Structure formats: structure tokens, C-alpha cells
Amino acid sequence: MYEGIVQDLIDELGRLPGIGPKSAQRIAFHIVQTESFDVSRLAEILTEVRDKVRFCEICGNVAEQSTCAICRDPRRDPAVICVVEEAKDVVAIERTREFRGRYHVLGGAISPIDGIGPEELRIRQLMERLADGVVQEVIIATDPNLEGEATATYLSRMLTTIGIRITRLASGLPVGGDLEYADEVTLGRAFEGRRVVS
Amino acid sequence: MYEGIVQDLIDELGRLPGIGPKSAQRIAFHIVQTESFDVSRLAEILTEVRDKVRFCEICGNVAEQSTCAICRDPRRDPAVICVVEEAKDVVAIERTREFRGRYHVLGGAISPIDGIGPEELRIRQLMERLADGVVQEVIIATDPNLEGEATATYLSRMLTTIGIRITRLASGLPVGGDLEYADEVTLGRAFEGRRVVS
């Protein structure tokens, strides 16, 4: 529909999640027409992001060094690990200021339909972190949906064998929702009201 | 909330129209985590887009040469000019395949609140295009909102002095829509513009 490069930009933007053809078009025209929009800065950041961003060797969170800022922080309680699906869930929980322990990012949830079994998640790495006996509690904070619940059930069964305290975020989180979209208060309450699973 | 570059990317994406903080975050994580997403291609296109994209010297449409593909196309009727607010309106009209004339992109609409008067629009260039007497009809296709209507009124007054045919796109019920949900103004327009069926 457009000449060359503008259509290329629309196509490329359309590959991003949550951006349909109309949005892609609107964004492309904004970039083309708005003099003040710093195209080169966005281009630079995009290039840099792939080079710089790594995943924490300990917890799997997004990091710019071999470990993330939370795992390096000596003030964070090493005795409590909060297990989440994605790195963005870490940010959501950090925003509540309710949690002072460490994290473990699974990299997703068990979902047979998508071909994601326990082996595809960072569960082995979690078990390794629990081996030295420092960790006293594992808080399972997977999403309150089908996949998240399945993952929580799987994890709690595995962890019971080790004999540490296992808790699950309280419901209070809207069922069927996405942890990422929970507001701070709801998420904070969910932490407060967490229950012993076994 | 995030370490360095990821937050930079979220900030930069958040400057795009229609992208709120949540969307920016989701897109940023998609870019960071999805191996198959071609970051360098998007970065390249962004850089290229500013270098390559210009605006047609004749009609103001987006172009990669000094004139756009439509103005260069000898099969397009030079006697009819359709006046639109933005380049994306050209694409919308082209999609209908109803119009075989040329275009004139104003670059916006008259909006005193935003400090946009007739001088800020490409109206002078439109008058110049009409000077040689080739153009027989000007179709005013500004948006059917306050600013678009004001612009249409202004244009039609200016053009009446030249003595060429001036038309305005019909307002009415959207095809496939529901009469029940039409607003009063639209429904009023639909009555005004009713046609004899037989």
C-alpha cells in the first residue's frame, strides 16, 4: 500500500506483541512525520539491548551483568525465594515493596498445548539453589491461571520432598488474570495472605 | 525499575502514540526475550526511514522520491483532486479503489486550540495547483469532526472564488453498522443526505 521503506516499517512494527496493522500504521506515520521523535536513539537502543541484556545466572531475571541487581544485593534475604514465571513479574512484585527475599524466574509455565513441560522451565536450577539448605521458604507466585496453577502444583509436589516451607500467593488475585496486570495493593495483599501449601 | 538499557527501551517505546507503560513493557520484554525477533532489522529500518522518506513536492504525500507514486502515475486523472488531512488518509481512500484522481495532503486540520490556522496547512500549495485550469473538481475529504468540518468550510469558501466544482464526502451511517448505535449527529446527517431509491 505504501512505498517501500514505510511499508517495511509498518510490517516490522506489526510483528511486535499487541500491535495490530492500524497501530503499526499510526506509529510508523508518527515516526516519519514527527521531527522531534528521535529515531536514531530508538534504533541505537534496539541494537544495544540485544548486545547488553543477559539473564541472571542465579535467578534468570533480566540483567546487564552475569547476575542481576537483586541477587547481588546483600540486603535481600537469601532464605526466601519467590518463584515467578517471567522477569516482568519480578518488576510487578518489586513495585509492591512487600517482598525482601530473592527471586527465581522459571521462564514460563507448564503448558502441554504449547509443548512446554517442566524440562523447558528453570526448575532444575531452582532445585540446585535449594541444595545448600540456606533457603527456608519458597513462595510460588505463578500466574493465577490454568498454566500457572499447573506449574504451582508441579512445583509444590517436587519441593515437598525437600521438606522446606512452600507457600502460594493468596487468591485475591483475580482468577484468570495475569500477574503482570495486578495493581500494587491487590498484589501486596496476596503476599500478606499467602498460605502454607504443605 | 529495570536495569539501564531495558528501562531505556521501555521509555523510548512509551513515546510512541498509543503505547502506554504496560504495552511498552510487554514489547520491550518481547524484544529482549524472543530470539527470533530481528532487532537489527527494526533498528536498520528506523534509521533508513528518516533518511529515505520525504514528502511529495506536489501533493505532500509520503514519498521516497521528490514526487509520490500517485503523482507520477499518468493513469491518474489530473482533473480531480481529493483533499485530505494526512498521508494515511490517502492510503484509506486508495483501499476503496473508488477514486482515480490525484490527492492533496493538507498536513492537518484547522484547530485554533492547537494553534493550527490555515497558514500552517498546505492550502497555498493547493491554490497553486489549481492555477493552470486543469483541475475540474476538488473533493474535500477532511475528517467528519469539528476540525475537519472547519477546514472543509474554510476551503470551500476559498475555492468558490475560483469557480471550480467543489464536493464533500457524504456523511451518514457506516455500512455494516447498527442504526441503534449511531449518534444523533450522524443519524441527522444520514437523514439530510437521504437518496431517492426508486
Side-chain angles (χ1 to χ4, degrees):
Chain A
M1 295 302 292
Y2 294 95
E3 291 184 70
I5 191 77
V6 179
Q7 190 57 51
D8 291 347
L9 180 58
I10 293 171
D11 291 345
E12 212 55 37
L13 290 169
R15 282 187 230 285
L16 297 170
I19 300 199
K22 283 277 176 197
S23 304
Q25 186 182 307
R26 197 168 67 235
I27 294 169
F29 271 97
H30 178 84
I31 290 172
V32 168
Q33 294 181 328
T34 315
E35 282 296 322
S36 62
F37 185 80
D38 196 344
V39 173
S40 55
R41 170 140 176 81
L42 180 53
E44 267 168 39
I45 290 174
L46 282 166
T47 313
E48 232 182 298
V49 108
R50 260 299 158 78
D51 297 339
K52 276 199 184 171
V53 174
R54 310 192 231 169
F55 298 98
C56 175
E57 287 172 4
I58 301 168
C59 75
N61 189 15
V62 166
E64 283 189 31
Q65 300 180 26
S66 57
T67 54
C68 75
I70 294 170
C71 284
R72 284 197 310 272
D73 188 345
R75 292 163 306 177
R76 305 294 297 236
D77 186 356
V80 188
I81 288 183
C82 179
V83 179
V84 295
E85 292 180 18
E86 304 284 354
K88 54 194 169 206
D89 300 329
V90 171
V91 187
I93 292 169
E94 284 298 284
R95 228 180 269 135
T96 69
R97 297 171 190 274
E98 287 280 336
F99 180 64
R100 299 304 302 162
R102 313 274 172 113
Y103 290 94
H104 193 82
V105 180
L106 293 174
I110 296 171
S111 175
I113 290 170
D114 304 313
I116 301 170
E119 313 74 37
E120 273 73 46
L121 306 176
R122 298 181 65 262
I123 292 176
R124 191 176 47 76
Q125 290 90 330
L126 174 63
M127 299 312 277
E128 282 167 15
R129 288 180 73 183
L130 304 178
D132 61 4
V134 172
V135 177
Q136 303 294 309
E137 179 181 356
V138 170
I139 303 171
I140 303 174
T142 51
D143 285 342
N145 56 22
L146 199 70
E147 293 79 16
E149 293 293 349
T151 310
T153 306
Y154 180 88
L155 278 177
S156 61
R157 276 186 199 155
M158 279 208 75
L159 298 174
T160 311
T161 59
I162 312 177
I164 50 171
R165 195 171 175 231
I166 306 153
T167 55
R168 174 99 175 95
L169 291 193
S171 52
L173 292 176
V175 176
D178 222 325
L179 193 141
E180 188 196 348
Y181 293 108
D183 67 282
E184 295 91 317
V185 182
T186 307
L187 202 50
R189 292 270 169 78
F191 260 87
E192 275 168 27
R194 68 186 186 271
R195 290 182 196 176
V196 178
V197 176
S198 62
Chain B
M1 294 307 292
Y2 293 93
E3 291 183 72
I5 191 75
V6 178
Q7 190 58 51
D8 290 348
L9 179 58
I10 292 171
D11 291 345
E12 212 53 37
L13 290 168
R15 284 187 226 286
L16 296 170
I19 300 202
K22 283 280 177 193
S23 303
Q25 184 183 310
R26 197 168 66 235
I27 294 168
F29 272 98
H30 178 84
I31 290 172
V32 167
Q33 295 180 327
T34 315
E35 283 297 323
S36 62
F37 186 79
D38 196 345
V39 174
S40 55
R41 171 139 176 84
L42 179 53
E44 267 168 39
I45 289 173
L46 282 166
T47 315
E48 231 181 300
V49 108
R50 259 299 156 78
D51 298 340
K52 275 197 183 172
V53 173
R54 311 191 230 171
F55 297 98
C56 174
E57 286 171 5
I58 301 168
C59 75
N61 190 14
V62 166
E64 283 187 35
Q65 301 180 27
S66 58
T67 54
C68 74
I70 295 169
C71 283
R72 285 197 310 273
D73 186 346
R75 290 163 305 175
R76 305 294 298 233
D77 186 356
V80 188
I81 288 183
C82 178
V83 179
V84 294
E85 293 181 18
E86 306 284 354
K88 52 192 167 207
D89 299 329
V90 171
V91 187
I93 293 170
E94 284 297 285
R95 226 179 271 135
T96 69
R97 298 171 189 271
E98 286 281 336
F99 181 65
R100 298 304 302 164
R102 312 274 173 115
Y103 290 94
H104 193 81
V105 180
L106 293 173
I110 295 172
S111 174
I113 290 173
D114 304 313
I116 301 170
E119 313 74 35
E120 273 70 46
L121 306 176
R122 299 180 67 258
I123 293 175
R124 190 177 47 76
Q125 290 88 329
L126 175 63
M127 300 311 277
E128 283 166 15
R129 288 181 71 182
L130 304 178
D132 62 2
V134 171
V135 177
Q136 302 296 309
E137 179 180 357
V138 171
I139 303 172
I140 304 175
T142 52
D143 285 341
N145 56 22
L146 201 71
E147 293 79 16
E149 293 293 350
T151 310
T153 307
Y154 180 90
L155 278 177
S156 60
R157 276 185 199 153
M158 281 207 75
L159 298 174
T160 312
T161 60
I162 313 175
I164 49 171
R165 192 169 177 231
I166 307 154
T167 54
R168 173 103 177 92
L169 290 193
S171 292
L173 296 172
V175 176
D178 220 327
L179 194 139
E180 191 191 344
Y181 297 118
D183 62 279
E184 302 91 68
V185 182
T186 305
L187 204 50
R189 289 278 172 78
F191 265 89
E192 268 173 43
R194 67 187 183 275
R195 290 186 198 175
V196 177
V197 176
S198 60

